[in-house]
Amino acid sequence: VETTLKSDLTVEQFGRDEYKIPFRKTIGSIVGVEAKDVSILSVSRVTVARRRLTENALQIVYDITAMVTEVLDDDEATIDDLLTSIQTNLDDALASTAPNENFVDILADTASSLGYTAAATAFDLLEAADVTISELEVLAVNTPEPTHGPTKTPDDFPLLEVVIPLSVFGFFTLIG
């Protein structure tokens, strides 16, 4: 996923934990995963053109690792349902104008609650229009290993017979 923040933050600033940790926690809380499941892959400086103005921005590329069963309560949910849920939650957080429900407020509040004052102030200066999130792209789908083997033994399963030769018995008799 790519998120673009129109901000004067530098790549070096955002590379510090006081910026990365609140960002990962915010994305995680919005989509329903733990912060450890959000991995920042790269942060780069980009120029964004809006009408005739050009603005500096940070482009943050990250992975979200999520399991259908952890994010959605529906046992019949599919990977497509998971993608729709994640995209909808991110879009809703960007579109929300309600205090403490929009992406920027959640990001600033998370930084503040973690004690990262400088990051909270920098994130608080962002406006909702300053944040864009790209469409999701599935990089890998892992299916779990089977939890058990066959449930029925075949009728023609061969039997293993163990035969102990009498010579072993005789050997012990001679020694004993």
Side-chain angles (χ1 to χ4, degrees):
V1 182
E2 285 181 10
T3 297
T4 304
L5 302 175
K6 291 181 191 153
S7 170
D8 290 331
L9 286 172
T10 66
V11 172
E12 293 76 25
Q13 282 176 307
F14 197 86
R16 296 194 305 246
D17 283 348
E18 68 183 292
Y19 293 91
K20 288 190 308 188
I21 292 172
F23 182 84
R24 290 175 50 222
K25 282 183 152 300
T26 298
I27 295 294
S29 71
I30 290 170
V31 301
V33 300
E34 298 290 324
K36 67 177 178 55
D37 296 325
V38 179
S39 302
I40 297 175
L41 303 175
S42 68
V43 179
S44 57
R45 174 64 71 193
V46 295
T47 303
V48 178
R50 186 191 299 174
R51 296 184 191 145
R52 294 184 182 186
L53 299 174
T54 58
E55 298 176 282
N56 288 327
L58 285 179
Q59 185 176 59
I60 304 148
V61 178
Y62 54 96
D63 281 345
I64 299 171
T65 303
M67 290 181 55
V68 174
T69 55
E70 290 178 358
V71 176
L72 302 174
D73 292 330
D74 183 4
D75 291 338
E76 302 294 318
T78 65
I79 188 73
D80 291 331
D81 297 330
L82 176 63
L83 290 173
T84 300
S85 171
I86 290 172
Q87 189 72 55
T88 300
N89 290 346
L90 289 171
D91 291 345
D92 288 352
L94 286 179
S96 176
T97 56
N100 302 321
E101 290 182 17
N102 65 63
F103 184 85
V104 172
D105 286 350
I106 296 170
L107 185 58
D109 290 347
T110 301
S112 179
S113 69
L114 292 170
Y116 298 132
T117 309
T121 303
F123 292 146
D124 212 19
L125 295 174
L126 296 172
E127 295 180 21
D130 294 337
V131 182
T132 58
I133 295 178
S134 68
E135 292 294 316
L136 297 179
E137 177 184 344
V138 177
L139 299 178
V141 176
N142 296 327
T143 55
E145 295 291 325
T147 57
H148 54 79
T151 57
K152 182 180 176 203
T153 305
D155 294 334
D156 59 344
F157 193 80
L159 294 175
L160 177 64
E161 294 182 23
V162 178
V163 178
I164 300 176
L166 285 176
S167 60
V168 172
F169 179 75
F171 177 77
F172 286 118
T173 305
L174 290 174
I175 294 181

Coordinates of all heavy atoms in Angstrom, one line a residue, residues 143-148:
T143 N -2.3 -20.1 2.4 CA -3.4 -20.9 3.0 C -2.8 -21.7 4.1 O -1.6 -22.2 4.0 CB -4.0 -21.8 2.0 OG1 -3.0 -22.6 1.4 CG2 -4.8 -21.0 0.9
P144 N -3.5 -21.9 5.2 CA -2.9 -22.7 6.3 C -2.7 -24.2 6.0 O -3.4 -24.7 5.1 CB -4.0 -22.5 7.4 CG -5.2 -22.1 6.7 CD -4.8 -21.4 5.4
E145 N -1.8 -24.8 6.6 CA -1.5 -26.2 6.5 C -2.7 -26.9 7.1 O -3.4 -26.5 8.0 CB -0.3 -26.6 7.2 CG 1.0 -26.0 6.7 CD 1.3 -26.6 5.3 OE1 1.1 -27.8 5.1 OE2 1.9 -25.8 4.5
P146 N -3.0 -28.1 6.5 CA -4.1 -28.9 7.1 C -3.8 -29.2 8.6 O -2.7 -29.4 9.0 CB -4.1 -30.2 6.3 CG -3.4 -29.9 5.1 CD -2.4 -28.8 5.4
T147 N -4.9 -29.2 9.4 CA -4.7 -29.4 10.8 C -4.8 -30.9 11.2 O -4.5 -31.2 12.4 CB -5.7 -28.6 11.7 OG1 -7.0 -29.0 11.2 CG2 -5.5 -27.1 11.5
H148 N -5.2 -31.7 10.3 CA -5.3 -33.1 10.6 C -5.2 -33.9 9.3 O -5.4 -33.4 8.2 CB -6.6 -33.5 11.4 CG -7.8 -33.0 10.7 ND1 -8.4 -33.6 9.6 CD2 -8.6 -31.9 10.9 CE1 -9.4 -33.0 9.2 NE2 -9.6 -31.9 9.9

